[in-house]
Amino acid sequence: MEIRLEELTKIFTDKNGKETRAVDNLSITIPSGKLVGLLGPSGCGKSTTLYMIAGLLKPSGGKIFFGDDDVTKLAPEKRGIGLVFQNYALYPHMTVRQNIMFPLENLNIKREEATKLVEEMAALVGILDQLDKKPSQLSGGQQQRVAIARALVKKPRVLLLDEPLSNLDARLRLQTREEIKRIQRETGITTVFVTHDQEEAMSISDQMVVLDYGVEQQMAVPQEMYNHPANLFVAKFLGNPPINILDGKIEQGNVVLSDNLIVGTSKSPNATVVVGIRPEDFRFDPQGFEVTPDEIEHIGRDTLIYFTLGEKKVRAIVDSDSVYGKTKIKLSVKKDKLHVFNPETGNVVL
Amino acid sequence: MKAFKLKLQNLLWRMKSVSHHSFVKTEEFLTRHRLGFIVNWPHWLKAIFYLLPAMLMLLVFTFYPIINSFMISFYTGFNIQTGEFDNYTLLGNYIEVVNQANFLQALQNTAIIVFISVPITILLSLFIAVALNSIKPLKGFYQTIFFLPYVTNTIAIGLVFAFMFSGNTNTIANPVGLGLANQVITWFGGQPIAWVATGATYWSAMTVILMYSVWNGLAFKIIVFLSGIQGIDKQYYQAAQIDGASRAKAFSRITVPMISPMIFYILITSVIGSFKTYSSVVAIIGVDGMITTGSSGSLNMKTIVFYIYDYISLAAQDGLMSLAAAAAIVLFGIILVFTMIQLQVGKRRVHY
Amino acid sequence: MKRITKEIRKLDFIATLIDTVYILFAIGLIYYLFSVLALPNNITDEVNTTYQILGSTWTSAQVNTAISLLVGYFIVFIPTTFSNWKRVRSKDVIEMDEWTYRSQYLYSFMSLFLSFNPFSAVIRFLNATKILTIVQGHGLKQSLINIKDDLLDFFSGRTFQRMKARRLARKETSESQQDLERISKQDFTLKVLVMVANYTFLTFIALFIFLPFYWMILTALKTNTELTTAVSPRLIIGLSEMQWVNFKVALDRFDFGLYLSNTLFVGLASMVGTVLTTILAAFAFSRLEWKGREFIFSILLMTMMIPGELYTITNYITVRNLGWYDSFYALIFPFMTSIFYIFFLRQTFKQIPDTLYRAARVDGCGDFKYLTRVMIPIAKPTITTITILSAIGAWDAYIWPQLVAPSEKYWLISVALRSTRFTDGGSDARPVYNVQLAATALVTVPLLIVFFSLKKYILAGVGRSGTKG
């Protein structure tokens, strides 16, 4: 089931009359059967978008389509969605089995069939042996699986997850990440999830959408977005350690940084630009430019080199073997790994 | 057995499913024919539907009486049979009420009860709650005993109190044995007193009433304070301990401020409730609220509410209902004033 | 292991069953004895006749003693049997530690000597031994041998020698260690002093609170002559002197059955009405969103401050106008809706997180269904408290019922208590205290029983009502 958002907008007015555009003319299409992540910093409108898709918030403008159906005015229970809340929202006074069965009570199916569905779903998420416990007796990860089972049991067209991993500890996060991906693969259901953790989004999404202040920044396959960020915001948001941002200019086809350092080429006309270089895109090059490192850290396989370039501090990660024992540090930027941006708009310059 | 249970569950499920589904179908049908408004009620209409039973009761038995009482108090000569008034007088009833000696006596009685029993009860229950909180064995036992007065009948135990404080003479003419209180007094070598019987003094009777008010009032307050104290994070006390604070200091600087919202709530409700004392006096003194002090005089131990009820029961006589209404409104005014004062004081001293 | 556990449970069940049979038998016995008691001709008279029971002659004193013993038996054994039943019926894993078998031994002794129930005694003894074997790993014989060894140690001074050796060893430790020990000892004594002070204080207050109850029952069991002639009242009376007949006299004059059924009816009716209106109203004020919600709620809160007497006046007139005077309607309807309960329940409803509501919406759940399937079960403790308190309210009501339903057939229990005259036939109609207090006890005791069984809910609920002020 494909989800299409057309010019979706949400404006919040506080009691003083001030307006905040939480979501601003968002137009994206989420392809059917894919796992898509809505990514962005806090307050960028991703949860708002999710709740509008769910139908719990009414949009101020724009339309939402599930396939060919316009569901913009439809109540949540009629849209055929499953929603997993950030704090799971399980009914505390019901057992796991009753929790999962609750959505089925409103469908016209027999009880035996409902019970079978419940067990099928419990097996899918892996809590078949916890069915008669109450939520308070389960761990966080188990509770989340119950929430997922409850969302999926009515075979919805769309599965929505609100920050599914933020309540879990680090180890559980990795495990659950894989679980979500596996479940989505097995059911083939169109899934949208919201997160502020870029590593998480990059690891499991089929596609990612980055939002900032309600505006879409880029939508692409994760690795594509990482390698070719459409603007400065996306470039800065992805990547750990973060990308190095330096001032520079394009002069006669060369990308020049301060101190007249040439780091690469560009086909664009002369202009003042902002240059982004990821730490791992530096490499040791005897023909490169020499740097005086402020600090060098050897961490096993990688070596971190901190140096200053025209008043900006730069972080570089190079292969340890290549720098080991070398007295002079000479670096260059890997080919095609230069990101050049327009200083006013932030968009990428080719 | 199990099969039956299963059948029952299936049946219930079926019923729920069918009813929900028919509802959904009708809703769709109506919406399609533009009659959706029948089932899709706007929020405020839904709210009214839920509020209806409560509001109905409240309107008739709470809001209307308030207005009506005001109205009655502004007229004289309310005739209960015909529901008609004689005259319109704005403050005439009020003036008459305030001038009556009985009312002033009732005012004094009530004031004494409020200003003495409420502070004593609150302080005592606070200490008890702190003491209860610091013991573990037998805590439940003590808790149960302390809560007993709450679930018992005010009148019933009041009678017992009256009996415990009875009798000081044992002559042929007045063959009533010594009550428990007098017994204790004689143990300590004192003279037995007539507490509430004939020949009692004002303060002896008042002491009994005060004691009973305290006895009755402890239960609820102890429980509220106890649950409040239990809710205070232990870390505050641990920090105080490290800083070398004594127990008394910990109490006054940590415990009291942290439960000050509760103390405030209890204070306001106790004062309001204490102003309305009635049943205790009935239980101890009697239905007429007066004690004969020998051949001539009698002690008036009535409270304001007592006074009001006197007038209500004599309502067959013209005009007394208006006086009762006026008196009730005066009482309301007094309560309102004190509550306002407390709210003002509380703004500064209560921490949330 | 499982087999033994099953055996233990079965034995527990059988023992409890036998206990219950004994209790039922005792109830029948006490009922019979009570009905045999002779009523005095005059309310102030003392009764001292002989009774023919089972072919032998019993004096009043003996009958009194018998009843007293039976009452004591009930007080001890009915609660324990209840808790035994709860343990037998519970599906949880039974705990087995020292306390389990010790208490089983205790029960066995109690069954044998206090209630003459050899069957239960034997069964529990066996059970206790079984549990002992499981817990301690050795049988009864070994335990007895252990106890004997410990006693021998104690008496032969070996225990003392061991303690002395330990003390000497401690003295060898360094100076600072001794200082620390001294300080900790001081702390310890301080703690003990504080604890003693605490308990003394609490015990005094507990006595103060409990005194009226004790005095009530005590006086109800005395003879009238004693009350009027004794120079100083006694604090304890003997088992044979307990005048249970006073209760019978009280029942005779005090139509307990009628008043009880009246009070129960009014209590249940107002409880149902209160709970229904409160739940619906609290739902409207907490979950539903509508304009002016907070405003109207604040107005409602303000009315809590108004003295009830203000309402009484007009309500009295209204009741008369509606023709409800002297009927049950007047007793039930006017005070059915309590703003206090609505406020209390609204607080609880508000604590249910919003996300739960949204999750339910997504699951296709409407407002009413959410109320019944989710909110009410979650708020069950509060609702239970409200139910209990509103039912109890009818028990305590005096002012309003007496005002609007004065005829005797509508009397509630407090009204009846105050109005029934337990006076002697004399010219000055002095109240006969022992009978009056017997009636008072009859009124109070059922409520106490209700309280003891439900006290968990009541205490928790009342405590919570104060937390949000």
Side-chain angles (χ1 to χ4, degrees):
Chain A
M1 182 62 52
E2 170 191 272
I3 304 177
R4 196 165 79 244
L5 306 177
E6 272 183 21
E7 310 273 320
L8 194 61
T9 312
K10 179 71 183 164
I11 304 178
F12 286 113
T13 338
D14 68 5
K15 46 186 176 196
N16 297 332
K18 201 156 65 102
E19 282 187 354
T20 333
R21 287 195 153 234
V23 180
D24 201 346
N25 282 318
L26 192 60
S27 300
I28 54 179
T29 308
I30 297 171
S32 173
K34 292 272 191 267
L35 178 58
V36 174
L38 289 182
L39 184 58
S42 302
C44 69
K46 46 193 201 296
S47 289
T48 318
T49 313
L50 194 77
Y51 281 174
M52 283 198 281
I53 301 180
L56 292 171
L57 278 180
K58 273 222 273 276
S60 313
K63 291 200 210 282
I64 306 173
F65 290 88
F66 283 7
D68 293 321
D69 304 325
D70 181 353
V71 297
T72 322
K73 299 259 195 287
L74 218 48
E77 56 267 21
K78 301 225 177 21
R79 295 192 189 193
I81 55 154
L83 179 51
V84 178
F85 290 85
Q86 188 174 354
N87 60 356
Y88 320 134
L90 298 178
Y91 305 114
H93 58 289
M94 301 190 202
T95 62
V96 167
R97 190 192 300 268
Q98 289 167 335
N99 259 290
I100 304 181
M101 222 179 344
F102 194 71
L104 296 175
E105 288 181 12
N106 299 322
L107 303 175
N108 202 6
I109 55 179
K110 286 208 179 49
R111 192 163 188 279
E112 299 94 47
E113 205 181 311
T115 329
K116 205 153 53 90
L117 273 176
V118 168
E119 292 183 359
E120 191 184 305
M121 219 33 75
L124 176 66
V125 298
I127 43 156
L128 205 47
D129 49 344
Q130 321 279 1
L131 276 179
D132 289 307
K133 296 209 182 136
K134 290 244 176 80
S136 53
Q137 297 170 296
L138 302 176
S139 72
Q142 289 169 326
Q143 283 182 15
Q144 195 198 47
R145 286 193 246 169
V146 176
I148 296 179
R150 183 180 69 177
L152 287 176
V153 77
K154 52 186 188 288
K155 303 275 200 277
R157 315 196 261 180
V158 167
L159 176 64
L160 306 170
L161 300 125
D162 187 6
E163 307 241 14
L165 303 177
S166 38
N167 281 358
L168 306 172
D169 63 67
R171 187 187 54 112
L172 210 49
R173 232 177 261 173
L174 290 174
Q175 203 180 333
T176 317
R177 241 159 56 176
E178 300 313 310
E179 288 286 301
I180 295 182
K181 191 143 182 75
R182 173 187 68 86
I183 295 174
Q184 195 269 335
R185 279 252 177 77
E186 279 186 41
T187 53
I189 192 172
T190 313
T191 310
V192 182
F193 74 98
V194 156
T195 180
H196 58 268
D197 184 338
Q198 36 105 357
E199 186 190 317
E200 199 174 286
M202 289 213 353
S203 73
I204 57 173
S205 319
D206 294 325
Q207 286 190 21
M208 293 192 327
V209 179
V210 175
L211 297 172
D212 188 28
Y213 288 113
V215 180
E216 177 204 343
Q217 305 297 312
Q218 186 176 2
M219 175 166 178
V221 172
Q223 199 55 39
E224 178 66 25
M225 200 185 283
Y226 187 78
N227 289 333
H228 297 113
N231 60 29
L232 195 55
F233 179 80
V234 177
K236 284 204 279 194
F237 197 76
L238 300 180
N240 199 17
I243 193 175
N244 298 298
I245 301 293
L246 307 159
D247 298 317
K249 50 186 190 266
I250 303 183
E251 231 171 31
Q252 277 128 27
N254 287 330
V255 179
V256 188
L257 299 177
S258 54
D259 303 338
N260 281 321
L261 194 55
I262 298 182
V263 285
T265 56
S266 167
K267 297 200 187 67
S268 307
N270 293 358
T272 339
V273 290
V274 170
V275 178
I277 311 175
R278 296 206 184 274
E280 65 269 20
D281 291 336
F282 285 103
R283 58 149 191 247
F284 185 82
D285 188 350
Q287 262 93 48
F289 54 90
E290 180 167 342
V291 297
T292 343
D294 298 327
E295 196 165 327
I296 301 187
E297 289 174 10
H298 296 287
I299 312 179
R301 177 195 64 201
D302 302 320
T303 300
L304 256 71
I305 305 178
Y306 296 92
F307 59 95
T308 321
L309 204 59
E311 281 148 37
K312 286 256 175 82
K313 292 221 184 294
V314 179
R315 223 191 250 112
I317 300 179
V318 294
D319 193 47
S320 287
D321 289 339
S322 57
V323 273
Y324 194 67
K326 302 281 195 306
T327 40
K328 285 185 195 277
I329 305 290
K330 287 183 167 221
L331 300 172
S332 70
V333 180
K334 293 183 191 160
K335 201 159 174 6
D336 291 333
K337 294 287 190 178
L338 213 55
H339 307 286
V340 184
F341 302 102
N342 183 318
E344 280 123 34
T345 64
N347 288 331
V348 73
V349 166
L350 292 138
Chain B
M1 184 64 185
K2 216 156 182 206
F4 174 69
K5 213 171 161 197
L6 203 61
K7 263 206 155 74
L8 196 62
Q9 279 179 327
N10 278 346
L11 184 64
L12 283 174
W13 177 274
R14 201 99 189 85
M15 286 188 344
K16 273 191 269 186
S17 173
V18 165
S19 65
H20 177 99
H21 234 74
S22 50
F23 184 70
V24 167
K25 282 282 188 287
T26 23
E27 187 184 358
E28 283 179 9
F29 176 76
L30 289 175
T31 327
R32 236 176 302 149
H33 294 251
R34 299 192 165 270
L35 292 170
F37 57 87
I38 296 183
V39 269
N40 284 331
W41 288 2
H43 274 184
W44 53 269
L45 198 56
K46 250 198 248 188
I48 291 188
F49 172 68
Y50 280 100
L51 281 179
L52 206 58
M55 275 314 189
L56 204 62
M57 289 291 137
L58 286 177
L59 265 164
V60 174
F61 293 109
T62 308
F63 290 119
Y64 167 65
I66 300 177
I67 307 175
N68 200 15
S69 302
F70 268 100
M71 302 252 300
I72 295 182
S73 71
F74 291 146
Y75 292 84
T76 56
F78 181 67
N79 186 326
I80 205 170
Q81 311 295 55
T82 63
E84 284 175 358
F85 300 100
D86 276 352
N87 274 320
Y88 176 77
T89 151
L90 184 56
L91 293 176
N93 286 323
Y94 291 96
I95 299 179
E96 187 173 339
V97 161
V98 175
N99 276 330
Q100 295 208 343
N102 277 341
F103 184 75
L104 293 176
Q105 178 68 38
L107 195 61
Q108 178 190 330
N109 292 340
T110 317
I112 294 181
I113 293 179
V114 171
F115 290 112
I116 298 187
S117 71
V118 170
I120 294 182
T121 319
I122 293 188
L123 281 173
L124 199 55
S125 49
L126 202 53
F127 288 137
I128 295 177
V130 170
L132 262 184
N133 191 42
S134 39
I135 65 172
K136 230 158 65 103
L138 291 185
K139 185 175 184 180
F141 169 70
Y142 280 113
Q143 244 180 317
T144 314
I145 296 212
F146 291 142
F147 201 65
L148 281 179
Y150 189 73
V151 288
T152 50
N153 209 302
T154 315
I155 304 265
I157 306 298
L159 287 176
V160 179
F161 252 84
F163 178 62
M164 279 177 18
F165 281 91
S166 69
N168 65 325
T169 57
N170 197 17
T171 64
I172 310 281
N174 197 6
V176 178
L178 285 178
L180 183 61
N182 281 328
Q183 161 107 356
V184 172
I185 294 183
T186 37
W187 275 351
F188 286 109
Q191 281 281 45
I193 326 174
W195 294 93
V196 291
T198 46
T201 66
Y202 179 74
W203 279 105
S204 67
M206 187 52 86
T207 314
V208 180
I209 297 180
L210 287 173
M211 256 201 238
Y212 185 52
S213 305
V214 170
W215 187 88
N216 228 354
L218 284 176
F220 184 71
K221 300 177 184 48
I222 294 178
I223 300 295
V224 170
F225 286 147
L226 187 62
S227 81
I229 294 179
Q230 279 169 343
I232 301 180
D233 201 341
K234 289 262 180 330
Q235 292 188 332
Y236 292 115
Y237 293 110
Q238 287 166 343
Q241 197 178 14
I242 296 179
D243 290 341
S246 67
R247 291 174 70 95
K249 223 175 191 183
F251 175 71
S252 58
R253 297 302 205 84
I254 301 180
T255 316
V256 172
M258 297 239 74
I259 56 170
S260 53
M262 255 140 270
I263 301 182
F264 192 53
Y265 162 69
I266 293 283
L267 188 62
I268 293 187
T269 44
S270 306
V271 165
I272 295 179
S274 190
F275 266 115
K276 302 198 261 180
T277 312
Y278 175 65
S279 331
S280 343
V281 177
V282 165
I284 297 182
I285 308 290
V287 193
D288 44 351
M290 317 262 283
I291 308 177
T292 43
T293 53
S295 49
S296 50
S298 56
L299 282 177
N300 186 340
M301 305 301 298
K302 300 190 202 186
T303 58
I304 301 183
V305 174
F306 217 124
Y307 181 81
I308 297 177
Y309 277 119
D310 269 355
Y311 278 141
I312 296 183
S313 44
L314 298 171
Q317 294 179 12
D318 280 349
L320 287 185
M321 200 54 118
S322 311
L323 289 179
I329 293 184
V330 169
L331 180 62
F332 171 53
I334 299 177
I335 294 182
L336 193 62
V337 164
F338 278 105
T339 311
M340 287 294 143
I341 296 180
Q342 287 175 328
L343 282 176
Q344 269 307 105
V345 171
K347 272 207 181 94
R348 256 190 318 128
R349 286 173 159 238
V350 175
H351 315 261
Y352 283 102
Chain C
M1 180 71 169
K2 220 175 188 174
R3 184 180 54 87
I4 302 184
T5 322
K6 268 217 170 111
E7 269 178 31
I8 292 181
R9 294 205 114 177
K10 211 161 50 154
L11 288 180
D12 207 356
F13 175 69
I14 296 179
T16 317
L17 199 58
I18 300 184
D19 285 338
T20 320
V21 168
Y22 262 77
I23 288 183
L24 290 173
F25 176 66
I27 292 180
L29 195 61
I30 207 176
Y31 183 72
Y32 171 68
L33 285 177
F34 202 67
S35 56
V36 155
L37 285 176
L39 288 174
N41 294 327
N42 199 327
I43 194 174
T44 54
D45 283 350
E46 196 173 324
V47 175
N48 209 340
T49 66
T50 53
Y51 303 90
Q52 288 289 344
I53 301 177
L54 302 174
S56 55
T57 318
W58 293 41
T59 63
S60 276
Q62 287 171 324
V63 174
N64 285 336
T65 320
I67 299 185
S68 314
L69 286 175
L70 281 172
V71 169
Y73 171 75
F74 282 141
I75 294 181
V76 171
F77 278 92
I78 290 190
T80 51
T81 313
F82 261 116
S83 62
N84 278 339
W85 270 119
K86 236 190 347 185
R87 197 185 55 227
V88 164
R89 295 289 307 280
S90 79
K91 293 272 176 25
D92 291 343
V93 179
I94 37 172
E95 286 227 359
M96 287 214 262
D97 52 15
E98 295 117 37
W99 291 111
T100 331
Y101 71 76
R102 282 181 196 161
S103 60
Q104 287 286 335
Y105 275 125
L106 186 65
Y107 282 144
S108 129
F109 282 128
M110 277 165 59
S111 300
L112 187 57
F113 295 112
L114 292 183
S115 59
F116 306 113
N117 188 352
F119 312 105
S120 284
V122 164
I123 296 180
R124 291 207 187 277
F125 191 80
L126 285 175
N127 236 359
T129 320
K130 281 206 167 72
I131 301 180
L132 171 68
T133 329
I134 295 181
V135 172
Q136 296 285 29
H138 51 70
L140 185 59
K141 198 157 132 199
Q142 183 64 30
S143 293
L144 290 174
I145 295 178
N146 286 345
I147 296 179
K148 185 186 66 151
D149 283 337
D150 282 333
L151 281 173
L152 279 177
D153 267 350
F154 183 73
F155 282 119
S156 68
R158 249 173 294 176
T159 344
F160 280 128
Q161 283 174 353
R162 256 182 281 151
M163 280 173 57
K164 208 167 169 193
R166 241 181 286 157
R167 227 185 312 146
L168 282 173
R170 244 187 290 146
K171 274 223 169 88
E172 309 271 312
T173 57
S174 65
E175 272 274 320
S176 58
Q177 181 72 7
Q178 285 188 353
D179 276 338
L180 278 172
E181 288 194 359
R182 198 165 21 99
I183 294 179
S184 69
K185 247 194 277 224
Q186 282 175 342
D187 260 347
F188 182 67
T189 36
L190 186 66
K191 268 206 192 132
V192 170
L193 279 177
V194 167
M195 195 87 350
V196 167
N198 251 347
Y199 275 105
T200 324
F201 174 62
L202 287 174
T203 316
F204 264 119
I205 305 279
L207 283 176
F208 172 60
I209 301 262
F210 194 64
L211 197 60
F213 294 104
Y214 178 68
W215 202 249
M216 172 175 77
I217 308 252
L218 188 70
T219 314
L221 293 172
K222 290 186 181 167
T223 64
N224 197 37
T225 353
E226 175 174 349
L227 287 179
T228 50
T229 56
V231 174
S232 52
R234 290 190 294 171
L235 288 174
I236 308 210
I237 57 179
L239 282 181
S240 62
E241 296 168 302
M242 294 190 174
Q243 301 293 319
W244 297 99
V245 64
N246 288 339
F247 286 100
K248 200 165 178 186
V249 174
L251 278 176
D252 188 50
R253 285 181 167 239
F254 186 72
D255 199 350
F256 194 68
L258 173 68
Y259 308 138
L260 186 64
S261 62
N262 281 349
T263 316
L264 275 178
F265 176 64
V266 170
L268 284 176
S270 50
M271 171 192 89
V272 167
T274 308
V275 169
L276 283 179
T277 54
T278 308
I279 292 182
L280 292 178
F283 181 67
F285 278 117
S286 56
R287 171 51 51 204
L288 298 180
E289 312 253 341
W290 43 285
K291 257 219 197 82
R293 183 178 85 175
E294 300 300 314
F295 175 65
I296 294 192
F297 191 66
S298 334
I299 296 188
L300 282 183
L301 275 188
M302 287 204 287
T303 60
M304 279 212 281
M305 242 199 313
I306 302 180
E309 290 59 47
L310 206 63
Y311 307 128
T312 319
I313 301 173
T314 318
N315 285 340
Y316 178 65
I317 302 175
T318 314
V319 158
R320 282 201 95 109
N321 288 340
L322 283 171
W324 283 356
Y325 187 72
D326 227 12
S327 76
F328 276 121
Y329 296 109
L331 293 175
I332 301 178
F333 284 105
F335 293 102
M336 198 154 77
T337 312
S338 159
I339 299 184
F340 176 67
Y341 292 143
I342 297 182
F343 174 65
F344 186 29
L345 191 57
R346 172 184 174 247
Q347 293 292 99
T348 315
F349 274 170
K350 272 199 147 190
Q351 285 175 349
I352 300 179
D354 277 346
T355 44
L356 210 59
Y357 177 61
R358 278 187 239 144
R361 291 269 330 265
V362 169
D363 287 340
C365 182
D367 277 332
F368 190 69
K369 185 164 178 199
Y370 184 63
L371 175 64
T372 42
R373 296 295 303 281
V374 181
M375 288 190 106
I376 293 185
I378 294 184
K380 210 157 55 163
T382 311
I383 297 184
T384 316
T385 310
I386 294 180
T387 321
I388 297 176
L389 288 181
S390 63
I392 291 183
W395 206 266
D396 208 7
Y398 171 69
I399 307 176
W400 178 251
Q402 182 226 35
L403 198 62
V404 298
S407 21
E408 186 173 338
K409 63 176 173 189
Y410 291 118
W411 275 357
L412 293 190
I413 219 156
S414 324
V415 181
L417 191 60
R418 227 340 174 160
S419 315
T420 312
R421 300 244 141 250
F422 297 100
T423 56
D424 53 13
S427 52
D428 38 11
R430 210 175 307 281
V432 181
Y433 279 113
N434 54 349
V435 178
Q436 183 166 49
L437 288 189
T440 312
L442 281 177
V443 167
T444 313
V445 166
L447 205 58
L448 285 181
I449 296 179
V450 166
F451 170 63
F452 277 115
S453 24
L454 297 173
K455 76 177 154 153
K456 203 170 44 158
Y457 302 104
I458 301 180
L459 286 179
V462 169
R464 215 177 305 128
S465 73
T467 38
K468 288 302 184 81

